[in-house]
């Protein structure tokens, strides 16, 4: 009788962590992670320890969704205290670097008025020596340019703090909130201390499609036979689904939820903003999970680094299947404008394409083109890109959270590429404050009154209609609305029908249809067949 083989069960969630916190760019890229740890995470845990009951209660209040409250029961405050102490010990050098960078940037702004910066290198604090360049812009405003490649080779990059937490997903709402709540160990969890870049990570996730014997999985995870009681509930003997490639004459778009879409055309697969969820043991909204996706994804596209578009857990789990990861280009002038390309390399990706606007990649009877993405970042210059995918005569614009602040951008897009038949866009008209999740990157002293009207929003109905008109669209897919329940740990509970973004969506859809445009709001697994 043959030995049974196993793969990860559909309910098994694998969460990448950095010292207990969910891995995203603000806990991974060395300089942002140092500032975030010093100015956000450590103060957050200290605030929790002053009033655990208040934090635990506030974290459960839907009216306070998005607030900075640690959702951990008061009786576990001792574990939080131990985590805080360990963070302060293991990341003491990061804290010193963050303090030095903050103080030096403030000093440089006051000191440098256009004179040569050469003598000022003597003033660079020791934690930053050899890792930064002092520069001016053309208006003689000084700034510190981080040598990011050097940072990844320094002690400030800490892959030893990385781990993968295997856990049964009980419900979509059961995951700790990404920004505010660390993962504590629970019964039935397995914490696998492994740097994300290691090949062993792919060996585990290859079993999604190629089940292996129990001993193989033990060896990969570094478990003894005694660990079977923990490991077996995470596994299943059920065979993975057999993926049937799409061979229709038309391109097929499979909407997988939020901003994630799978484009299939002439044997090529393109996955946009991959965010894939396990299936909860307690049931939930239908979805495709990992073993049901294509065995090869030729291109995975990342529009920007917000965690509902760049999900480290999904990228790691699909890494061995992704031919090329396509990311927006960073300018690197701001300490928070980290390089998605460098981060992808540190996540173990070998083939990373960093596209500038209007650079393209050829496809069979088509092409993949990076196009401008304005708005949504509160006027902060961080890497971002929308994409046009051309399949035959069909052109699709995946606009993510783009805001139409300049009609000419879309007029030029049509002039350069031709009419864009189908537009995927959202209507997040409120948006979070521009410092949401990024407060640690800002100096302490600034005029906050002037910043009040800066929001991370997308287009409203009028702006959306202008995009459709400018590009000559005949179809609108309203997406990335945060409606799917598996997005809750990232962006909070799904909004109600009377929320501003939903009302704006209704208005956009109604007015687009009145203009003869095929308009729909996407929700959950949806297949779209487009004209070739």
């Amino acid at each position: 009788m043959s030995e049974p083989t196993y793969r990860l069960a559909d309910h098994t969630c694998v969460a990448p962590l950095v010292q207990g916190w969910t891995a995203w760019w603000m806990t991974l890229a060395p300089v942002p992670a140092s500032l975030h740890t010093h100015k956000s995470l450590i103060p957050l845990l200290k605030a929790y320890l002053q009033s655990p009951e208040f934090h635990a209660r506030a974290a459960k209040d839907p009216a306070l969704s998005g607030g900075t409250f640690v959702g951990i029961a008061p009786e576990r405050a001792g574990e939080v205290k131990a985590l805080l102490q360990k963070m302060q010990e293991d990341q003491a050098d990061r804290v010193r670097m963050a303090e030095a960078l903050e103080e030096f940037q403030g000093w440089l702004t006051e000191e440098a008025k256009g004179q040569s910066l050469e003598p000022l290198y003597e003033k660079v604090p020791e934690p930053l020596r050899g890792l930064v360049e002092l520069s001016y812009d053309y208006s003689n405003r000084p700034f510190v340019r981080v040598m990011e490649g050097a940072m990844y080779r320094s002690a400030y990059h800490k892959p030893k703090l990385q781990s993968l937490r295997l856990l049964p997903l009980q419900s979509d709402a059961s995951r700790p909130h990404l920004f505010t709540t660390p993962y504590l160990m629970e019964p039935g969890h397995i914490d696998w201390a492994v740097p994300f870049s290691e090949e062993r990570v792919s060996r585990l996730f290859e079993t999604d499609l190629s089940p292996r014997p129990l001993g193989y999985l033990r060896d990969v995870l570094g478990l003894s036979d005694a660990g079977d009681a923990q490991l077996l509930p995470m596994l299943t003997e059920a065979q993975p689904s057999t993926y049937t490639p799409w061979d229709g004459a038309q391109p097929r778009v499979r909407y997988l939820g939020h901003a994630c879409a799978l484009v299939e055309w002439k044997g090529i697969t393109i996955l946009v903003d991959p965010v894939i969820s396990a299936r909860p043991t307690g049931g939930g909204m239908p979805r495709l999970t990992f073993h049901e996706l294509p065995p090869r994804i030729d291109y995975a596209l990342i529009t920007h680094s917000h965690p509902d578009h760049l999900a480290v857990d999904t990228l790691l789990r699909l890494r061995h299947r992704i031919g090329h990861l396509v990311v927006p280009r960073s300018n690197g002038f701001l300490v928070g404008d980290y390089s998605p390309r460098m981060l992808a390399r540190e996540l173990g990706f070998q083939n990373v394409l960093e596209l500038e606007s209007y650079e393209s990649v050829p496809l069979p009877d088509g092409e993949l083109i990076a196009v401008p993405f304005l708005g949504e970042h509160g006027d902060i210059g961080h890497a971002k890109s929308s994409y046009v995918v051309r399949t035959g005569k069909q052109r699709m614009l995946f606009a993510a959270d783009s805001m139409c602040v300049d009609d000419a951008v879309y007029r030029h897009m049509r002039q350069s590429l031709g009419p864009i038949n189908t537009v995927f866009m959202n209507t997040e008209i409120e948006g979070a404050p521009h410092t949401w999740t990024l407060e640690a990157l800002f100096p302490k002293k600034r005029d906050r009154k002037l910043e009040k009207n800066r929001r991370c929003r997308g287009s409203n109905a009028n702006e959306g209609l202008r995009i459709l008109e400018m590009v000559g669209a005949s179809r609108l897919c309203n997406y990335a609305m945060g409606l799917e329940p598996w997005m809750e740990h990232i962006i909070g509970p799904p909004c109600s029908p009377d929320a501003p973004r939903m009302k704006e969506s209704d208005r956009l859809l109604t007015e687009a249809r009145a203009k003869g445009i095929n308009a729909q709001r996407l929700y959950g697994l949806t297949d779209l067949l487009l004209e070739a």
Side-chain angles (χ1 to χ4, degrees), residues 257-407:
H258 195 58
C260 182
L262 174 67
V263 180
E264 300 169 280
W265 167 251
K266 293 196 172 184
I268 296 293
T269 53
I270 301 169
L271 192 59
V272 183
D273 283 341
V275 180
I276 308 297
S277 170
R279 289 197 180 100
T281 57
M285 183 177 175
R287 70 205 67 183
L288 286 188
T289 193
F290 296 96
H291 70 93
E292 296 162 323
L293 295 175
R296 177 174 172 82
I297 296 163
D298 294 288
Y299 299 96
L301 313 183
I302 303 298
T303 57
H304 61 298
S305 293
H306 290 164
D308 56 326
H309 298 262
L310 194 165
V312 174
D313 55 351
T314 298
L315 290 179
L316 288 177
R317 193 145 178 182
L318 297 178
R319 184 178 69 193
H320 64 286
R321 301 194 219 178
I322 294 174
H324 292 86
L325 183 65
V326 182
V327 300
R329 181 176 178 271
S330 162
N331 290 315
F333 295 132
L334 306 178
V335 294
D337 188 19
Y338 84 103
S339 167
R341 178 182 57 81
M342 286 190 191
L343 180 62
R345 297 279 190 185
E346 292 302 320
L347 293 177
F349 284 88
Q350 299 301 312
N351 299 315
V352 186
L353 301 178
E354 182 185 61
L355 299 185
E356 181 58 271
S357 287
Y358 290 102
E359 284 192 300
S360 66
V361 176
L363 304 174
D365 191 18
E367 60 184 323
L368 164 64
I369 311 152
V371 294
F373 173 172
L374 298 187
E376 213 271 329
H377 283 58
D379 304 319
I380 301 298
H382 287 181
K384 53 185 176 176
S385 178
S386 298
Y387 297 96
V388 169
V389 178
R390 182 175 68 81
T391 53
K393 295 181 180 179
Q394 173 71 221
R395 296 179 183 88
M396 295 164 261
L397 169 61
F398 291 93
D401 306 326
S402 295
M403 179 170 54
C404 185
V405 293
D406 184 357
D407 288 0

